[in-house]
Amino acid sequence: MASSFTRILSSKRNVGILSLVGGSVAAGFLLHREHVTAGEPLRRRYPASAEYPDLRKHNNCMASHLTPAIYAKLCDKATPNGYTLDQAIQTGVDNPGHPFIKTVGLVAGDEESYEVFAELLDPVIKERHNGYDPRVMKHPTDLNASKIQSGVFDERYVLSSRVRTGRSIRGLSLPPACTRAERREVERVVVDALSGLKGDLAGKYYSLTVMTEKEQQQLIDDHFLFDKPVSPLLTCAGMARDWPDARGIWHNNEKTFLIWINEEDHTRVISMEKGGNMKRVFERFCRGLKEVERLIQERGWEFMWNERLGYILTCPSNLGTGLRAGVHVKLPRLSKDPRFGKILDNLRLQKRGTGGVDTAAVGGTFDISNLDRLGQSEVQLVQTVIDDFLAGSKYGVCVLLRSSWYRL
Amino acid sequence: KAIMPFGNTHNNFKLNYKVEEEFPDLSKHNNHMAKVLTKDIYAKLRDKQTPSGYTLDDVIQTGVDNPGHPFIMTVGCVAGDEESYEIFKELLDPIISDRHGGYKPTDKHKTDLNFENLKGGDDLDPNYVLSSRVRTGRSIKGYTLPPHNSRGERRAIEKLAVEALTSLDGEFKGKYYPLKSMTDAEQEQLISDHFLFDKPVSPLLTCAGMARDWPDGRGIWADEEDHLRVISMQKGGNMREVFRRFCVGLQKIEEIFKKHNHGFMWNEHLGYILTCPSNLGTGLRGGVHVKLPKLSTHPKFEEILTRLRLQKRGTGGVDTASVGGVFDISNADRLGSSEVEQVQLVVDGVKLMVEMEKKLEKGEAIDGMIPAQ
């Protein structure tokens, strides 16, 4: 962690942190959890009881855990960058949720949010991540792809394989809170680092602000282009501000390694290819991530990570590995089986439509991926997905069914 | 000094970055803010904040997020409180001038809510004029505006507004319907009366933070884009009566708020202070739904409207299309002329246009009736 200390001290941001805290003794050096201190407290016009949101019609993790007592305790705190509890929960207040789908209902504005607002975030994380208790547990990180056993699927059923995660640049605020200058700095740091990738990873950056029509059409045809967020879950959290300033897409020439810059996270890193070779996809994923990390470290930066929460991302649901490994697979019969939902639950898998989250399946083709993010390593999660799909067998689908019967 | 918890992120933090690094990219923008905001103005104002903590970046966020349209010039900025118009005047004065026909920082705005000064207005032909309506907004002094206010503040505004309104009697006696606890039956009724307002979906409003915490603190009579929107309306063409009720009702409400030590935000330069700079002055939109199927297809229709200082909208309100030749015709001006003057323009203008329509029905020309520049 020494390098992060040097980074912070040498950056001009340090001046901001000190001036914010003014006469107060505890300066907000962000090193380890125990040393993180909140920024200058807010002096507010109304007491906490007048400000407490009406959450009676809400069904999200934030609403389940934000008691008036916790609100009162945290509402006048701010992170060293000035991010407040009200800002963190705004998306959850504005989006009451759905009786069947429980969203998280809050976001982090910076790395320190997870510390300063821990009293709310820890129980939310525990609920969302299946009992993982950030107060006592440690999260394992393992990007050693050589440990993966088998991992090549039957291509008559598996149309494509994909692994994605996110990474945040330490020292810069996250998308809900970043200023325009910070967002541009994220873009600059990442694009600069990516230009150092070589071999099968060499590629090109396409900025959303200066993209040509032709480039845009190509990216749409490749299914690489991301749109301005329209989901109120994201817009109410302030993630679409200043669009499309400092947003862009980078991909390698072979179109198998792709990075989104400044969408819902600083970066989203995606490895993919047609067909069922999940092992190769994951191998490229790990190699690419490690290369990118090495390149940003060369330039004095690093990713946000700690052993309590793993990789730090905007939404608490993506903590830990931030990893979603999945396939587009044809399951027209299995998906009609009334046990389909339960089978997926037992295998710790989730289904989405082929357009991604919140879309419908087309022609019996589903996006099936791991449910868990935190508490298990990358290798463990990907191995689970692979074991569930059992490579290379023409009875792949039946095995999926059989193994789930075993666990029902 | 106490601040609102929303929106004051990073004001000090941003200052660690140079102006060029923070200045928004407005190269593809077409709104008043983008036309006026230079790096110099940004540099000068970016470290300032109003007493409640509203900053320049808060003011302009909606204009940065909504580049605008080649044909429709939006304002591109909002006020977070009364003091915004003072602290950020270097940005807002030129915008006000552009939007309100050259209105200068030294100009004075006159307020005239004496309905007896209106001439005529009670004889618009009900065969053509289907309904008449006058609306305005009011902000309550001492509170921050919808882009900036916290839940606690919004609820305090609602409480005060409801107290004031429920003390009205006589022809103004009524009921408050909070959005949060409305029954299905009440909602149906309000929809069929065309009273119910929806959660804003226009990004012009949502990017400015006005939909936060919906529907907390909102109800009919209070708190959508402005603290209060006050509307007087009825079927038919008796605009005089609509305006009378409007003026009398407004003055009664204002008296009550003053008794609670919270009068309306007003000053002699900008008139009534509202969230969007386009609504300063009277904040008044007085208009009618009128059938003009022939006149609306006349090549000079737009020009006639401009010369009469009127604007047209579809019958669904702003950004809607007209249906069956029925238009919403209202005054275009807000700042620099009084309420009476603006409603007079509507009364006189609509009367003239109905005459034109009748002439066109008979196959006669209307060129002689078109007003001079």
Side-chain angles (χ1 to χ4, degrees):
Chain A
M1 291 294 123
S3 59
S4 74
F5 190 93
T6 346
R7 172 87 224 137
I8 303 310
L9 276 189
S10 64
S11 91
K12 54 200 169 185
R13 258 167 305 298
N14 188 50
V15 175
I17 292 169
L18 289 177
S19 66
L20 249 186
V21 212
S24 122
V25 175
F29 289 135
L30 21 116
L31 273 183
H32 302 283
R33 177 182 186 203
E34 313 81 64
H35 300 310
V36 172
T37 330
E40 200 168 311
L42 311 173
R43 277 186 29 249
R44 305 181 30 153
R45 201 178 279 190
Y46 298 92
S49 53
E51 294 284 7
Y52 182 72
D54 182 349
L55 300 171
R56 289 171 295 173
K57 294 196 179 114
H58 286 60
N59 181 41
N60 57 49
C61 296
M62 179 278 291
S64 297
H65 296 282
L66 185 68
T67 62
I70 293 182
Y71 183 79
K73 202 163 174 192
L74 298 178
C75 70
D76 56 5
K77 295 203 184 344
T79 66
N81 298 348
Y83 197 66
T84 65
L85 178 73
D86 283 304
Q87 287 171 290
I89 66 172
Q90 190 67 58
T91 180
V93 176
D94 289 344
N95 297 291
H98 191 275
F100 306 150
I101 303 169
K102 198 163 188 187
T103 46
V104 175
L106 58 79
V107 292
D110 48 25
E111 189 167 5
E112 295 81 355
S113 298
Y114 286 102
E115 312 301 336
V116 175
F117 308 120
E119 231 157 304
L120 173 63
L121 275 152
D122 286 350
V124 166
I125 289 169
K126 193 168 179 195
E127 178 184 343
R128 180 61 181 215
H129 292 282
N130 224 23
Y132 182 87
D133 188 347
R135 282 173 282 224
V136 298
M137 291 170 156
K138 292 209 196 317
H139 168 82
T141 290
D142 186 357
L143 284 161
N144 188 346
S146 62
K147 292 183 183 166
I148 296 291
Q149 311 269 354
S150 63
V152 182
F153 305 133
D154 188 336
E155 304 213 341
R156 287 173 302 168
Y157 295 91
V158 176
L159 305 175
S160 63
S161 309
R162 182 183 187 269
V163 181
R164 71 87 161 143
T165 188
R167 289 289 186 263
S168 310
I169 309 295
R170 176 161 279 160
L172 296 168
S173 305
L174 296 170
C178 62
T179 69
R180 278 181 293 274
E182 282 185 295
R183 201 185 293 112
R184 291 163 182 170
E185 187 146 28
V186 169
E187 184 188 37
R188 211 172 20 245
V189 168
V190 175
V191 172
D192 186 42
L194 294 172
S195 64
L197 288 173
K198 298 188 179 11
D200 69 321
L201 293 176
K204 188 177 164 193
Y205 179 63
Y206 302 88
S207 147
L208 250 56
T209 48
V210 302
M211 198 178 283
T212 65
E213 294 255 343
K214 193 153 163 275
E215 287 168 337
Q216 187 173 305
Q217 194 51 54
Q218 185 60 53
L219 288 166
I220 290 174
D221 294 338
D222 291 329
H223 302 288
F224 284 174
L225 192 62
F226 61 87
D227 271 325
K228 178 171 178 173
V230 292
S231 163
L233 298 174
L234 298 182
T235 55
C236 293
M239 296 194 231
R241 286 171 304 127
D242 314 312
W243 201 274
D245 197 319
R247 272 81 167 194
I249 293 164
W250 182 98
H251 69 79
N252 67 347
N253 299 326
E254 301 182 9
K255 298 187 182 178
T256 53
F257 192 63
L258 165 70
I259 297 183
W260 288 352
I261 295 177
N262 285 320
E263 191 231 11
E264 183 182 333
D265 280 296
H266 281 176
T267 67
R268 283 286 176 96
V269 180
I270 301 154
S271 169
M272 61 214 264
E273 56 183 68
K274 291 234 179 301
N277 198 337
M278 177 61 90
K279 187 176 165 70
R280 186 166 62 207
V281 168
F282 185 60
E283 180 277 322
R284 189 185 320 112
F285 175 82
C286 294
R287 186 163 46 88
L289 267 176
K290 288 195 201 134
E291 251 313 274
V292 174
E293 183 161 25
R294 187 187 67 76
L295 288 162
I296 65 165
Q297 279 172 342
E298 250 175 25
R299 290 152 174 81
W301 297 89
E302 57 180 24
F303 293 142
M304 290 184 196
W305 179 93
N306 67 50
E307 57 177 11
R308 192 174 76 98
L309 297 174
Y311 288 100
I312 304 293
L313 294 177
T314 301
C315 181
S317 68
N318 281 322
L319 289 168
T321 59
L323 184 140
R324 195 169 90 84
V327 296
H328 280 190
V329 56
K330 287 195 280 208
L331 298 171
R333 288 196 180 77
L334 184 60
S335 57
K336 293 205 180 72
D337 191 305
R339 293 162 294 185
F340 186 45
K342 193 91 177 75
I343 290 169
L344 290 173
D345 277 347
N346 288 354
L347 296 175
R348 309 291 309 146
L349 295 174
Q350 66 177 185
K351 74 178 194 310
R352 298 181 180 188
T354 45
V357 69
D358 296 334
T359 64
V362 174
T365 304
F366 287 84
D367 176 319
I368 306 281
S369 62
N370 56 296
L371 257 178
D372 300 321
R373 306 268 185 273
L374 176 64
Q376 294 180 73
S377 74
E378 290 79 355
V379 165
Q380 285 171 312
L381 290 174
V382 172
Q383 191 66 62
T384 306
V385 172
I386 288 170
D387 292 346
D388 290 341
F389 273 84
L390 214 62
S393 159
K394 66 177 181 174
Y395 302 113
V397 169
C398 300
V399 174
L400 178 68
L401 189 55
R402 215 182 303 138
S403 71
S404 69
W405 278 358
Y406 186 71
R407 284 177 239 199
L408 261 172
Chain B
K1 61 176 217 269
I3 61 164
M4 285 292 118
F6 176 81
N8 189 28
T9 333
H10 287 132
N11 195 41
N12 295 335
F13 191 70
K14 269 181 212 142
L15 299 176
N16 296 312
Y17 290 93
K18 300 203 277 274
V19 170
E20 302 75 60
E21 289 170 329
E22 284 288 357
F23 191 74
D25 179 354
L26 301 172
S27 50
K28 297 198 177 103
H29 286 58
N30 183 42
N31 57 50
H32 285 293
M33 181 277 292
K35 286 210 147 32
V36 169
L37 183 70
T38 59
K39 286 211 177 105
D40 283 337
I41 294 180
Y42 187 78
K44 210 161 169 190
L45 297 178
R46 70 174 186 138
D47 60 353
K48 306 217 179 328
Q49 39 180 303
T50 66
S52 73
Y54 207 62
T55 68
L56 177 70
D57 282 291
D58 294 323
V59 170
I60 66 173
Q61 190 67 53
T62 180
V64 176
D65 289 344
N66 296 290
H69 192 275
F71 307 149
I72 303 170
M73 190 77 157
T74 48
V75 174
C77 65
V78 290
D81 49 22
E82 187 165 9
E83 295 82 354
S84 299
Y85 285 103
E86 249 324 290
I87 305 242
F88 305 115
K89 65 195 328 263
E90 232 155 307
L91 170 70
L92 290 168
D93 280 350
I95 292 176
I96 288 168
S97 177
D98 277 349
R99 181 64 177 209
H100 294 283
Y103 194 78
K104 298 192 290 296
T106 46
D107 283 339
K108 303 249 180 292
H109 171 83
K110 49 191 151 148
T111 291
D112 181 1
L113 282 161
N114 190 346
F115 67 92
E116 283 167 359
N117 290 341
L118 185 72
K119 300 196 203 6
D122 53 355
D123 57 351
L124 299 174
D125 190 335
N127 292 319
Y128 294 84
V129 178
L130 306 175
S131 63
S132 310
R133 181 185 187 266
V134 179
R135 71 90 159 142
T136 187
R138 289 291 187 265
S139 308
I140 305 171
K141 208 169 168 63
Y143 294 104
T144 56
L145 297 171
H148 192 38
N149 53 28
S150 66
R151 282 179 296 273
E153 177 113 309
R154 204 184 297 113
R155 290 162 179 171
I157 293 163
E158 181 191 33
K159 183 154 179 274
L160 179 59
V162 172
E163 253 181 68
L165 294 166
T166 47
S167 67
L168 290 172
D169 59 8
E171 66 173 316
F172 295 108
K173 197 167 168 57
K175 190 178 165 187
Y176 177 63
Y177 301 90
L179 251 54
K180 242 188 346 183
S181 48
M182 203 175 279
T183 66
D184 280 342
E186 286 171 338
Q187 189 171 301
E188 279 303 316
Q189 185 59 53
L190 289 167
I191 290 174
S192 57
D193 287 334
H194 300 288
F195 284 171
L196 192 61
F197 60 89
D198 268 328
K199 178 171 177 174
V201 293
S202 163
L204 298 174
L205 298 182
T206 56
C207 293
M210 294 194 235
R212 287 172 300 124
D213 315 311
W214 201 273
D216 198 317
R218 274 84 166 189
I220 304 300
W221 282 343
D223 263 341
E224 183 212 16
E225 176 181 330
D226 288 296
H227 284 168
L228 307 175
R229 280 284 173 100
V230 180
I231 304 161
S232 168
M233 60 213 265
Q234 69 190 50
K235 292 232 180 303
N238 195 344
M239 179 62 94
R240 187 180 182 79
E241 174 56 23
V242 169
F243 188 55
R244 183 203 66 81
R245 195 182 323 112
F246 176 81
C247 295
V248 174
L250 257 182
Q251 281 162 331
K252 276 195 163 22
I253 296 170
E254 179 157 22
E255 269 165 45
I256 301 175
F257 276 102
K258 278 198 182 131
K259 266 198 228 139
H260 283 82
N261 287 320
H262 282 283
F264 295 146
M265 287 184 198
W266 180 93
N267 69 48
E268 64 174 4
H269 168 53
L270 295 176
Y272 287 101
I273 307 287
L274 294 180
T275 299
C276 181
S278 69
N279 280 322
L280 291 167
T282 59
L284 185 144
R285 193 171 91 83
V288 298
H289 281 190
V290 57
K291 285 195 281 204
L292 299 171
K294 293 207 155 39
L295 183 60
S296 56
T297 52
H298 191 284
K300 290 221 157 98
F301 185 46
E302 300 283 345
E303 203 181 317
I304 291 168
L305 286 171
T306 310
R307 291 187 184 186
L308 292 173
R309 320 265 337 118
L310 297 175
Q311 66 178 192
K312 74 178 194 309
R313 297 180 183 190
T315 43
V318 69
D319 296 332
T320 64
S322 97
V323 174
V326 179
F327 285 83
D328 177 319
I329 304 286
S330 62
N331 56 299
D333 302 325
R334 305 272 184 274
L335 179 62
S337 51
S338 75
E339 289 81 353
V340 167
E341 285 167 348
Q342 288 167 10
V343 174
Q344 191 70 65
L345 284 172
V346 175
V347 163
D348 295 345
V350 169
K351 199 150 186 227
L352 180 62
M353 291 200 291
V354 169
E355 297 301 312
M356 288 179 174
E357 180 74 17
K358 288 176 176 168
K359 272 244 151 80
L360 290 172
E361 278 173 15
K362 289 193 227 142
E364 293 167 17
I366 57 164
D367 297 320
M369 298 169 76
I370 296 178
Q373 185 50 54

